[in-house]
Every structure is written in structure tokens, then in C-alpha cells.
Amino acid sequence: EAPDGADAGGCLMRLRRRRRNNDTGAVAVEAAFIFPVFVLILFGIIEFSLFLRDHVALSAAVRSGARTASAEPRMDTFATDAASAVLRAGTGMPFSSVQEMWVYEANPLGYPANVGQGQLARNSSANTFTTCTSNCLVFTYSDSTFTQTAGEWDEAEINACPGDIDMSNVGIYIRANHRFVTGMFGTSVTITDHAVLRFEPIPASQLLESGQCKP
């Protein structure tokens, strides 16, 4: 015997309710899988953006420092002026994270090398940023400024006389510690960057000073 209208309507409502409950359960299961992935992507975007900010600021800072130092050949303030330029250009990054800054004479590959009398060492084993000794100055950041803490470089040894074939190169190297905000990708990572420029020839106003250039 066929069910009457009321029974048929009740069966249809029960079927719809059961289907709705099944759909709700499926959505909940899908959300449980998708939500962690979504959170991971979101935090990844945040962390990458902050890392990129620090790296771009670091690149701008070393380039600015190298430009300033290269324009002051044989001036006793070339290194400290370079450090000040780094501070001005790197306003986008927290300088408290900077571990060290080097102002160094660079070999042809852009690395610090043991040099003497302005002559670049071309020893391939020196192509590294592990030590800063001869013609290399180490600065550390504290109390909103950079202070020289190690190294030596006699500005009189800088090869920057007009007509010199082997002009000296100056490099700026910074090692900093980028801290992750969320902690999902670790606590921190070391970021480094360096820039190298050739010293500009000594200006005519300095050429008359004793010992600036060979006659």
C-alpha cells in the first residue's frame, strides 16, 4: 500500500536532514585538514615579508656605506663616515640584530685579504669572511651607534692616486641575526650582505698635502 501524503513528506524531510548532517560533517572534516595549511601559509607570508624587509634594508645599508667610504680616499674618517652612512640607509631594519660590520680592503673577488702598502693579496684561500685583520676594521652596534672594536687599516696605504693602475677597493660587510616572529620556522637565521666599490682618485685639493701621492 502506497504511503499517504503525510508519511511521504516525513520520509523526505528525514532524508534531507540526514543529507544535511552528512554534508556538515564532511565540511568539518575538510576544514580540519585545510585550516592548518592555511595558517602555515599565512605565517609563512608574514615571516617571508619581514625577512625580505631586513634583507633589502641590509643591502641598501652596505651599498650606502661603500659609496661613502669610496669617496673619502686617505681620509682618516672614511670608516666612521661609512658606518654613519650605514645607519642612515638602514632605517628599515633593527640594528640591534647586527652582530658585526666590517670596513675592509677587498681583493678582486670582493673578499677581505691580507694586504700591505695598498697591494691587494690574490690568494684564493683568503676569499672568505672568516677573519678581519690587516686593512680591515670591525664595528659593533651599541647605544644607537657603531663603534670600532677591532682591526686596523692605515688610510695612508690606500692606493687612490690619480693614474694608479691598481686602485684599492673598499668593501662593507654586515652580519645580522634575523629573528622569526611566529617561531614556526625556528627562532632566528643569520643574514649577511656586502658591497664593494673602488676608491675614487684623491681630489686635487688633497694632492698638495705631504705624502698623499708620489711625485
Side-chain angles (χ1 to χ4, degrees):
E1 182 179 353
D4 57 24
D7 291 339
C11 289
L12 183 60
M13 290 182 64
R14 285 193 295 273
L15 287 173
R16 289 176 176 174
R17 189 179 300 112
R18 189 176 298 115
R19 186 178 298 118
R20 188 180 304 114
N21 290 338
N22 290 339
D23 291 344
T24 302
V27 170
V29 172
E30 292 173 357
F33 282 106
I34 294 174
F35 183 73
V37 177
F38 173 77
V39 171
L40 185 64
I41 293 174
L42 178 61
F43 285 174
I45 292 173
I46 294 173
E47 292 287 17
F48 178 76
S49 299
L50 294 175
F51 175 83
L52 185 62
R53 177 206 64 182
D54 284 357
H55 202 285
V56 170
L58 190 63
S59 297
V62 295
R63 287 196 301 268
S64 180
R67 283 195 299 268
T68 298
S70 67
E72 300 182 3
R74 297 200 182 177
M75 293 179 61
D76 57 3
T77 59
F78 79 96
T80 54
D81 289 346
S84 298
V86 166
L87 285 175
R88 291 192 298 270
T91 53
M93 69 173 296
F95 275 102
S96 58
S97 66
V98 173
Q99 298 169 336
E100 281 188 343
M101 182 186 76
W102 297 1
V103 181
Y104 64 95
E105 186 166 14
N107 66 15
L109 296 180
Y111 296 95
N114 292 324
V115 294
Q117 301 301 318
Q119 299 300 314
L120 293 173
R122 291 177 172 81
N123 182 0
S124 60
S125 64
N127 297 331
T128 175
F129 286 106
T130 56
T131 59
C132 178
T133 53
S134 299
N135 289 18
C136 185
L137 306 173
V138 178
F139 289 80
T140 55
Y141 182 83
S142 178
D143 296 329
S144 302
T145 188
F146 278 109
T147 303
Q148 182 184 340
T149 56
E152 59 180 2
W153 189 354
D154 184 358
E155 66 275 4
E157 295 183 355
I158 295 173
N159 253 14
C161 292
D164 278 347
I165 297 176
D166 198 8
M167 300 281 282
S168 298
N169 301 315
V170 59
I172 304 294
Y173 165 79
I174 293 180
R175 184 174 70 251
N177 187 41
H178 171 79
R179 296 188 179 279
F180 292 115
V181 175
T182 63
M184 294 187 64
F185 306 96
T187 56
S188 64
V189 63
T190 299
I191 55 175
T192 64
D193 204 347
H194 71 282
V196 176
L197 287 175
R198 179 163 295 180
F199 276 106
E200 298 177 7
I202 297 175
S205 59
Q206 289 181 230
L207 292 179
L208 298 179
E209 297 181 19
S210 176
Q212 284 293 317
C213 290
K214 297 178 181 179

